[in-house]
Amino acid sequence: MTAAKKDILQGWKDIAAYVSRDVRTVKRWEKQRGLPVRRMPGIGRANVYALIPELDRWLSADTEISEAAPVPPPEIPEDAPIELAAEQAPPPVALIPHARPGRAWILAVIGLVLIGAITAFAFGLRAHRRSLAAATVPPNLSRAGHTVKYSSKQPGVDALYLRGIYFYEQRTPEGLNRALQCFQDAIAKDPSYAPAYSGLAQTYNLLREYSTMPDAQAYESAKTAARHAIAIDPDLPEPHAALAFAEFFWDWDAAGAEREFQTSIALDPNSALVHHWYGSMLTHEGRFQESLVQLDLAQRLQPTSTSIISDHAFALGLSGHREQAIEMLQSVISQDAKSPAPHYILAGLSMSEPRNIGRFLSEMRLFATLRHDPDTLRSLDELDRAFRSGGEPAFWRVSLQQEERNHPNKRTVGMVNAETVLGRKEDAIRDLAQLAADHDPGMIGIAINNIINPLHDDPRYKAIIEKVGIPHPGDR
C-alpha cells in the first residue's frame, strides 16, 4: 500500500502528536490495541511510520479513545531557560496573528509588520529580562498543548477534534482546510460539542492569514463559532481567546478583547494559545515589555511551536533587537522549512531602518510561495524589476502604482506608506484619515509602522491615532 508523503507520519513522536498522546502510550496501544504502526523492512524496529488514513480508521473504530484520560505532560521548572530546542524539529505550524495578507497586500504587509523606530530602543534587552524575572509564571507550567476538555458521547468525535488540532497546528493552507473539515465533521456528529466550535473559531482566525480567505468572512465566522462554543461551555478557555483575537484585530475593540483574554487566562493559566494570542495583541498596542512576557510564557508551554517562536522574534525585533530576532527566525526556518510565518516576519524586519529592500522581496517571495499565492508572486516580480532598475525610489513608485491599480476606489495602508516615503505628506494624511473612517483592518498595526514616522509630528496624525483607539508607543 502506498500513500502520498503528506499522509505519512515518520517516527514515534509524530505518531504520538497526531493522536495527542505521549510516545509511551502509543507504543502500548500498538501492542495492546492494534494501533496501525508500520516498520521499514530490514532496518530495525526503531524506524517506524504510520499512514494517516489507517490511523483515522483505527481512531474512528476505537471508541475507548474518546474516554481515555489524557496523559499529563511533563512539567517545566519555572526557571527553565527559553531557547530553541535544536534536537527537536518543531511541527510545521503561524501564525502570525498580526498578518493581513490579501491579493494586493504587499504594502499592507509592510504597514502591519514593520518596526516602530521611535520606540525601537525604548525597551532594551536588559529591561526585557528584568520584566521576565518579575513576571508571575503560572504554577505547574507545563508543555501542555490542546486537550479535550470533556468527552463526547458520540463515537469518534473526540478523535476528529484531535485530528483537527493536529492539522490546525501545521499552519499551512492544506492543514487548515483539513482542520476545518475535521471540526465540521465532529459538529455534524455531535452539535453540542464545544471544543469543535472552538477549533473552528481558531482555524477561521488563521485562514485569513495562511490562505486567501477574505478578512470579513474569516473574522465574522470566527466570532460566530467562538460565541457558540462559549454558549455551550463558558468555562472553555480557547473560544474566549479566539473571540478576543477577532474583537481586537477586526472590531478594534481593545477593551473587550482584554476582558476576554483575562477570562481565558483565569480559566487556564497554562494555555499556550491564550498567552500567544494575548501577546500578539499587546505587540500591536506597542506594549512590548508585556508582550514579551506573554510570548515567553507561551514558548515555555509549547517550546516547539514555530508560530510562537516567530511571534516572539517579531516582538523582540520591535523592542530594538533585530539581529537577535533574525537569528531566532533563521533557526526556525532551518528546522521547519514549510512554515510561511518566519519569512513573513523576516520581510518586515528587513524594512526597518536601515531598510533592505532586496531581503524584503526575497523573504516575501518565499512567504507567497508557501501560501500558494500566484497573484502576490506576480506583484513581487514587478517590484523586483523596478528595484533592480531604479533602486528604492522606483520600488516605492511601483508599489504605489500597484496599490492604486488594484484598489482604484479604496485607500490602503500601502498607499500611505508609499506616499510618505515619496514625500507626498498631504496625500498620506488624507488617505490615513479615510482608512480610519472606513474602519480598515490595516489600521490596527499603524502604531508599529515606522515607515510613516515622518507623519508623527503632524497634529492630524495624532487625531487619527486617537480615533483608532490604539495607544501609540510614542505617547508612553
Side-chain angles (χ1 to χ4, degrees), residues 362-438:
S362 175
E363 294 297 339
M364 289 307 301
R365 187 175 301 280
L366 290 167
F367 174 76
T369 299
L370 290 168
R371 270 184 90 236
H372 311 312
D373 191 343
D375 292 328
T376 292
L377 288 171
R378 284 191 289 270
S379 295
L380 286 166
D381 287 340
E382 185 180 11
L383 287 168
D384 185 64
R385 288 192 296 270
F387 177 63
R388 291 178 184 276
S389 64
E392 186 170 347
F395 168 87
W396 288 108
R397 285 194 296 271
V398 171
S399 296
L400 182 57
Q401 291 168 7
Q402 286 185 347
E403 291 292 291
E404 292 173 339
R405 182 172 66 242
N406 292 326
H407 301 283
N409 301 313
K410 182 180 182 298
R411 314 320 294 164
T412 69
V413 173
M415 294 177 185
V416 174
N417 289 335
E419 289 161 348
T420 301
V421 175
L422 294 172
R424 295 167 54 173
K425 182 177 180 180
E426 292 301 313
D427 291 340
I429 290 289
R430 178 203 65 208
D431 289 345
L432 200 61
Q434 188 61 53
L435 286 170
D438 292 343

Side-chain angles (χ1 to χ4, degrees), residues 159-227:
L160 281 168
Y161 170 76
L162 292 173
R163 290 203 298 280
I165 290 298
Y166 174 84
F167 290 122
Y168 160 86
E169 287 291 356
Q170 293 179 4
R171 303 296 209 278
T172 64
E174 300 87 354
L176 290 170
N177 284 322
R178 293 182 76 171
L180 205 65
Q181 188 62 57
C182 286
F183 297 136
Q184 290 169 341
D185 290 347
I187 291 169
K189 286 177 173 287
D190 185 353
S192 65
Y193 190 67
Y197 289 102
S198 178
L200 277 182
Q202 295 162 224
T203 303
Y204 278 122
N205 274 333
L206 299 193
L207 277 169
R208 38 150 285 283
E209 179 180 347
Y210 290 96
S211 75
T212 54
M213 180 176 285
D215 284 351
Q217 178 185 351
Y219 281 125
E220 292 299 333
S221 298
K223 289 193 294 183
T224 298
R227 286 169 178 153

Side-chain angles (χ1 to χ4, degrees), residues 115-166:
I115 314 306
I118 289 179
T119 60
F121 289 94
F123 307 108
L125 184 59
R126 183 176 303 174
H128 162 52
R129 287 173 174 166
R130 284 200 302 268
S131 68
L132 293 181
T136 301
V137 179
N140 300 320
L141 190 63
S142 70
R143 298 177 187 267
H146 296 269
T147 58
V148 180
K149 298 302 185 294
Y150 58 84
S151 295
S152 171
K153 295 179 180 179
Q154 299 299 321
V157 170
D158 286 346
L160 281 168
Y161 170 76
L162 292 173
R163 290 203 298 280
I165 290 298
Y166 174 84

Side-chain angles (χ1 to χ4, degrees), residues 30 53 70 80 130 155 196-197 236 262 280 299 330 352 413 418 448 450:
E30 184 206 10
R130 284 200 302 268
Y197 289 102
L236 204 60
Q262 293 300 331
S280 181
Q299 192 172 337
Q330 289 173 335
S352 62
V413 173
I448 53 175
N450 81 328

Side-chain angles (χ1 to χ4, degrees), residues 9-82:
L9 301 171
Q10 298 285 357
W12 287 113
K13 288 183 179 179
D14 282 352
I15 297 170
Y18 186 73
V19 299
S20 291
R21 297 294 189 272
D22 62 13
V23 170
R24 181 182 301 178
T25 298
V26 294
K27 287 182 177 180
R28 174 169 54 82
W29 282 356
E30 184 206 10
K31 294 179 180 179
Q32 298 178 2
R33 303 169 70 168
L35 182 73
V37 174
R38 295 171 173 240
R39 289 172 173 78
M40 295 296 290
I43 299 181
R45 294 182 60 82
N47 196 344
V48 301
Y49 68 98
L51 303 179
I52 287 178
E54 292 184 353
L55 283 179
D56 287 350
R57 288 192 294 272
W58 182 87
L59 288 165
S60 296
D62 194 330
T63 58
E64 294 182 25
I65 298 302
S66 297
E67 300 174 1
V71 177
E75 294 185 359
I76 299 178
E78 293 186 4
D79 58 352
I82 300 174

